[in-house]
Amino acid sequence: MVKVEDCLLEDVFLTCTSVAQFALLDENGDEVTEGGRSSLLTWNGGTVCDDSFGDNSAEAICRLMGFTRAITWRSGLFFTTLQSGLDIKMDDVSCEDFVFEHCTYRTDAHNCGHGEDVFLTCSGTIQPDDSDETPTSPDPHPCPDPDPCPEPATCPAPSVPECPDHPTCPVCPDPVVCPDPVVCPDPVVCPDPVVCPDPVVCL
């Protein structure tokens, strides 16, 4: 029966280094990060022998280094001064596909000369790898995240009465309408004044 211990702040942080430390070098020994040029293939600072090396090996290694793909490869003594100062550190590289983890190789011995050093041409540009950054240890006493400020208060939307299923919804009465103002009649017309008859004339 496996006993499970209670652990507190005992998480393990692990930094791994790939077994394959490949690099392409120019004639001056500077690392090549731009594709399109034939460069000396190195592994852990030494050259790679062409025994068993093939197109799958070239493709797998270009991809492993961060290039897009392999264009071509060859072997020979082209950077004499540079190559003669390096050890041959990898031999018999054989890959069944384009994934380097599926390849086989030897690093303990070789039967090569520098005339068999691999020169590789990849395409694309090496993308930066952020995996080498040292992880930070967790804070043993992490502070809780601050409480977020509440959203500003919002007034509720005015309630709108919903109509029941059957009864008729109440309807507000029409506003009171004032009657038209009283219109006064035309002013009173007085009758003409009394006219006296002519005086009586005696005969």
Side-chain angles (χ1 to χ4, degrees):
M1 180 177 179
V2 177
K3 182 179 180 182
V4 178
E5 298 289 346
D6 293 330
C7 300
L8 179 63
L9 301 177
E10 296 181 47
D11 293 343
V12 174
F13 285 80
L14 185 62
T15 301
C16 298
T17 302
S18 173
V19 173
Q21 299 287 331
F22 288 104
L24 295 179
L25 303 182
D26 63 15
E27 60 273 16
N28 298 318
D30 296 325
E31 185 172 356
V32 175
T33 58
E34 296 283 342
R37 58 185 296 185
S38 180
S39 306
L40 177 65
L41 177 63
T42 63
W43 178 82
N44 283 353
T47 61
V48 178
C49 181
D50 66 357
D51 291 348
S52 302
F53 202 91
D55 292 342
N56 283 357
S57 305
E59 185 74 24
I61 293 173
C62 281
R63 293 187 182 191
L64 181 68
M65 289 188 291
F67 290 103
T68 305
R69 63 182 182 85
I71 298 176
T72 187
W73 70 276
R74 60 179 178 166
S75 58
L77 191 61
F78 303 106
F79 300 163
T80 306
T81 303
L82 175 63
Q83 291 172 253
S84 60
L86 301 176
D87 295 329
I88 300 172
K89 290 194 174 181
M90 181 175 284
D91 191 14
D92 295 327
V93 182
S94 178
C95 302
E96 60 183 34
D97 54 27
F98 300 157
V99 180
F100 189 76
E101 285 74 10
H102 300 163
C103 302
T104 59
Y105 51 88
R106 293 187 61 183
T107 58
D108 57 340
H110 68 83
N111 57 350
C112 308
H114 281 299
E116 300 172 80
D117 289 345
V118 172
F119 281 74
L120 189 56
T121 304
C122 303
S123 69
T125 303
I126 291 181
Q127 300 301 315
D129 184 5
D130 298 331
S131 62
D132 293 336
E133 295 181 1
T134 303
T136 57
S137 300
D139 188 349
H141 304 290
C143 296
D145 293 333
D147 292 332
C149 295
E151 297 291 339
T154 55
C155 297
S159 58
V160 179
E162 295 182 355
C163 297
D165 293 337
H166 299 290
T168 303
C169 293
V171 178
C172 294
D174 293 334
V176 176
V177 178
C178 295
D180 292 334
V182 176
V183 178
C184 295
D186 292 336
V188 177
V189 178
C190 296
D192 292 336
V194 176
V195 178
C196 295
D198 291 336
V200 174
V201 177
C202 293
L203 294 177

